[in-house]
């Protein structure tokens, strides 16, 4: 530990951390307040995009100043999240559509017609 | 660490825990199974962000690895649960 | 050369990932990371259905910046309308977007972009890849949204992948 950090490092780090937690809180408020399931799918993206970016940026600034050299490995978190979160979100959306259609709820019908369904070749 | 930064870290940790409480509310309330999976996934993401904040609080690299672990296990867990909801079986 | 590096960009990305994870530039880690970068794509080659040909690297960078800006803007919009949801409920609905992009890798990239951006969730793709079902959080004008979606994201992806 190399003593005190300057104010010019600590102020941005503090702002970024509070900002990120505010975004995460907004996401949770949305998760609790919104009425429909498909509406509730959107707020979690707040924490996994801008929330994660702010924390990663704060971490990079802080550790780079602390060790007086670039410490960039916190960027891996947003990159990892932007690869994994779409996969789960997509699968959850499809699962919800499937289950709601089974239950006979008011959701759009399948976008592909039956005829193209059968003659279609597997992924090229 | 100056009082400004340590107070900001405390505030953001407090807000993150409030987030987790609200998410738990959704997790217990449901009403459908996919709501619970969504809340669980969100819980993982928030826990991971908290780990990064704790890493800054204690100026330690170890928390970063914990965050990576949480991200990976959270992804695998939510993926398996969502897949289960899609067809009712995990392995096809 | 082509046999040794079936996916040069993937090799480079894996090498950088290894160096970032270990936070060191020592000779040992440079070598280990290079071994990972060469071996992993070779072992994974049977899993990859089609190699990716990136036409214009600069278009990739521009799309990247564009998506970053869009993420920030729509983050603020979604947070704002979540806070106001009490007296002005968001106008969420499903829309159908006709697609001109048919490349599998391009569609994968498009699905990642739409899902990462808060406010839109990619819900379902027709099996013949002609129509996409999209859920939008707060939709004002459907025609304007579809035009915006196609010009901002689909056209650059078509330039890159097709």
């Amino acid at each position: 530990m190399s003593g005190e950090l300057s104010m010019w490092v600590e102020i941005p780090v503090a702002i970024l951390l509070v900002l990120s937690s505010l975004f995460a809180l907004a996401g949770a408020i949305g998760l609790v307040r919104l009425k429909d399931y498909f509406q509730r799918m959107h707020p979690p993206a707040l924490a996994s995009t801008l929330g994660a970016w702010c924390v990663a940026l704060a971490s990079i600034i802080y550790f780079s100043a602390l060790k007086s050299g670039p410490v960039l490995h916190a960027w891996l978190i947003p990159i990892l999240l932007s690869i994994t979160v779409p996969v789960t979100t997509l699968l959850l959306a499809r699962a919800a559509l499937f289950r709601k259609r089974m239950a006979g709820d008011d959701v759009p019908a399948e976008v592909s017609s039956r005829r193209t369904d059968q003659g279609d070749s597997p992924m090229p | 660490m100056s009082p400004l930064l340590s107070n900001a870290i405390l505030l953001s940790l407090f807000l993150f825990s409030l987030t987790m409480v609200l998410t738990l509310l959704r997790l217990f309330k449901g009403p459908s199974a996919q709501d619970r999976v969504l809340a669980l996934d969100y819980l993982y993401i928030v826990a991971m962000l908290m780990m990064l904040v704790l890493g800054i609080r204690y100026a330690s690299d170890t928390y970063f690895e914990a965050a990576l672990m949480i991200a990976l296990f959270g992804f695998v867990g939510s993926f398996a649960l969502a897949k289960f909801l899609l067809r009712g079986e995990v392995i096809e | 050369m082509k046999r040794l590096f079936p996916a040069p960009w993937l090799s480079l990305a894996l090498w950088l990932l290894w160096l970032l994870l270990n936070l060191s530039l020592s000779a040992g880690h440079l070598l280990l990371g290079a071994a990972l970068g060469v071996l992993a794509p070779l072992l994974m080659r049977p899993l990859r259905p089609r190699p990716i040909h990136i036409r214009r690297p600069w278009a990739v960078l521009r799309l990247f910046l564009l998506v970053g800006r869009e993420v920030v803007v729509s983050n603020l919009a979604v947070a704002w309308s979540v806070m106001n949801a009490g007296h002005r409920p968001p106008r969420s609905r499903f829309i159908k977007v006709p697609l001109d992009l048919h490349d599998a890798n391009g569609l994968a990239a498009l699905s990642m972009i739409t899902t990462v951006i808060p406010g839109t969730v990619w819900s379902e793709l027709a099996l013949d890849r002609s129509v996409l079902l999209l859920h939008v959080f707060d939709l004002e004008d459907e025609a304007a949204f579809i035009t915006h979606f196609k010009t901002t994201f689909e056209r650059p992806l078509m330039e890159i992948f097709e």
Side-chain angles (χ1 to χ4, degrees):
Chain A
M1 227 131 301
S2 56
E4 285 293 295
L5 296 172
S6 78
M7 285 308 256
W8 296 113
V9 173
E10 297 205 342
I11 290 174
V13 170
I15 291 175
L16 283 172
L17 288 181
V18 174
L19 210 61
S20 131
S21 57
L22 283 176
F23 272 110
L25 187 62
I29 290 173
L31 208 57
V32 171
R33 266 176 99 183
L34 294 174
K35 297 280 181 281
D36 177 49
Y37 171 74
F38 284 103
Q39 285 185 354
R40 288 196 287 265
M41 293 206 69
H42 297 285
L46 293 180
S48 59
T49 54
L50 211 52
W53 293 4
C54 288
V55 172
L57 196 58
S59 180
I60 286 173
I61 294 174
Y62 183 75
F63 282 110
S64 299
L66 200 66
K67 300 188 175 154
S68 37
V71 182
L72 295 175
H73 65 340
W75 264 136
L76 287 178
I77 295 280
I79 291 174
L80 195 73
L81 274 184
S82 63
I83 294 171
T84 58
V85 165
V87 179
T88 13
T89 312
L90 229 120
L91 213 55
L92 270 176
R94 288 192 54 201
L97 274 175
F98 174 74
R99 287 169 64 95
K100 291 200 174 198
R101 278 175 194 145
M102 284 287 141
D105 285 356
D106 179 29
V107 287
E110 268 186 74
V111 280
S112 41
S113 64
R114 279 291 135 200
R115 211 174 317 123
T116 52
D117 205 333
Q118 276 157 16
D120 197 71
S121 56
M123 297 282 279
Chain B
M1 194 175 288
S2 70
L4 170 80
L5 186 55
S6 59
N7 282 330
I9 287 175
L10 276 183
L11 176 63
S12 85
L13 283 176
F14 171 72
L15 290 177
F16 273 131
S17 17
L18 203 61
T19 307
M20 286 180 126
V21 171
L22 287 178
T23 314
L24 277 177
L25 215 64
R26 175 53 74 192
L27 185 71
F28 288 131
K29 210 165 75 175
S32 62
Q34 56 265 32
D35 273 306
R36 294 175 208 265
V37 178
L38 192 67
L40 193 67
D41 193 44
Y42 196 56
L43 216 54
Y44 269 122
I45 291 174
V46 174
M48 193 196 69
L49 297 185
M50 259 178 123
M51 279 289 157
L52 287 179
V53 178
L54 283 174
I56 294 179
R57 167 84 179 77
Y58 294 110
S60 151
D61 267 350
T62 321
Y63 287 92
F64 171 74
E65 269 136 48
L68 272 185
M69 279 287 136
I70 292 179
L72 284 179
F73 283 117
F75 168 63
V76 173
S78 336
F79 183 86
L81 281 171
K83 185 80 187 143
F84 178 73
L85 290 184
L86 192 60
R87 286 282 183 267
E89 49 193 298
V90 180
I91 298 166
E92 284 189 12
Chain C
M1 201 63 187
K2 190 75 188 166
R3 294 241 323 255
L4 194 58
F5 295 101
W9 290 103
L10 182 63
S11 301
L12 186 69
L14 280 172
W15 188 59
L16 285 177
L17 175 81
W18 180 267
L19 294 180
L20 266 181
L21 268 179
N22 287 298
L23 277 183
S24 94
L25 282 176
S26 65
H29 279 309
L30 286 176
L31 265 179
L32 266 175
L36 178 76
V38 173
L39 284 181
L42 281 180
L43 291 174
M44 292 294 159
R45 187 154 52 161
L47 291 180
R48 289 161 63 88
R50 268 202 299 183
I52 301 180
H53 299 290
I54 291 179
R55 299 256 182 280
R56 303 176 190 180
W58 289 111
V60 177
L61 191 68
R62 224 184 55 213
L63 182 66
F64 206 73
L65 293 177
L66 212 83
V67 171
R69 201 197 65 189
E70 196 78 6
V71 164
V72 174
V73 169
S74 56
N75 250 295
L76 295 174
V78 169
W80 183 249
S81 63
V82 160
M83 287 309 168
N84 287 331
H87 54 89
R88 198 190 64 82
R91 294 154 290 184
S92 309
R93 49 183 289 215
F94 285 99
I95 58 170
K96 283 179 184 163
V97 183
L99 284 180
D100 298 315
L101 176 72
H102 294 293
D103 184 75
N105 295 319
L107 283 170
L110 187 64
S111 75
M112 263 183 74
I113 290 171
T114 44
T115 319
V116 158
I117 291 175
T120 49
V121 168
W122 172 288
S123 306
E124 205 171 40
L125 179 68
L127 280 169
D128 58 356
R129 300 178 184 164
S130 59
V131 186
L132 156 72
L133 189 65
L134 202 65
H135 189 263
V136 186
F137 185 64
D138 196 4
L139 186 69
E140 244 174 62
D141 180 3
E142 185 175 336
F145 178 84
I146 290 178
T147 323
H148 171 74
F149 181 80
K150 287 180 86 72
T151 50
T152 328
F153 305 122
E154 197 185 358
R155 194 170 302 151
L157 282 174
M158 283 170 76
E159 279 174 21
I160 293 166
F161 285 104
E162 283 181 354

